[in-house]
Amino acid sequence: MSILSVLRKPKKPASPAPVDLSSSGYSDSELEKFTQAQKDALVERLEKDRLKNEHLRTDQRQSCFLIARLEFVEKGLGMDGVVTDASLGGINFRPASRFIQERTNERIMVHIGDVALKGILRRTQPSGYGIQISPRMTDEQFADILEASALPFDQTI
C-alpha cells in the first residue's frame, strides 16, 4: 500500500445522503422539542452547508516544510515563503514577510524546487494562504514534493 493511497479520503457520493441529526450539535432532548417543520428546516440547512462546502479539501493534508516562491500571475508580483502542508489538491503557503495581505480568488503559480503548480488563492488567514491547486497534483509531483520536505512523512494533519 503506497503512502498516497493512505492519505486519500474516499470521494463523497454524488447523490445527497440523508442527514443524521445526531451530528448536528443538538442534544437528543433539544431535538425532541423541535416540531417536524423545524426538523425539516434544520435538515435543509445542514444539506445546504454540506453542498456549499463540497469543493473543500478531499485529501488528507501532509505536513511539510518547503521553501517556495508564490507568483501572482496577473500582477507579475512574487514572494518567497514556505509551504507548511500539502495535499494533492492544495497547499498552505506562509510568506516570508511579516505581514500577510488579504487576498482571495487570485490566479497564482507556486514554484517548489523544480515543480511549478498553478492554482487559485482561496483563503487568507494569519498562518498564510490556502491555495487550491488546479489541475490537481499528480501522485509523482506530490511524492517529489514530500521527498524534498524537511519533516518526516508520518506527520499528517
Side-chain angles (χ1 to χ4, degrees), residues 85-109:
D85 70 64
S87 73
L88 290 172
I91 61 171
N92 277 326
F93 177 87
R94 172 68 174 126
S97 64
R98 294 179 95 177
F99 302 103
I100 297 177
Q101 297 178 350
E102 181 71 32
R103 297 177 183 272
T104 55
N105 296 323
E106 293 191 44
R107 292 186 313 136
I108 56 91
M109 178 80 75

Side-chain angles (χ1 to χ4, degrees), residues 44-113:
E44 186 178 330
R45 190 180 84 216
L46 291 172
E47 181 63 16
K48 281 183 183 178
D49 287 348
R50 186 188 69 77
L51 292 174
K52 179 181 174 186
N53 294 322
E54 196 71 26
H55 71 282
L56 296 179
R57 190 182 296 267
T58 58
D59 299 302
Q60 190 173 23
R61 298 175 187 196
Q62 177 71 41
S63 293
C64 55
F65 186 85
L66 302 162
I67 304 300
R69 177 148 183 88
L70 178 102
E71 294 178 7
F72 294 94
V73 174
E74 295 167 357
K75 296 185 172 141
L77 301 173
M79 64 178 74
D80 294 324
V82 176
V83 173
T84 57
D85 70 64
S87 73
L88 290 172
I91 61 171
N92 277 326
F93 177 87
R94 172 68 174 126
S97 64
R98 294 179 95 177
F99 302 103
I100 297 177
Q101 297 178 350
E102 181 71 32
R103 297 177 183 272
T104 55
N105 296 323
E106 293 191 44
R107 292 186 313 136
I108 56 91
M109 178 80 75
V110 179
H111 300 274
I112 305 169

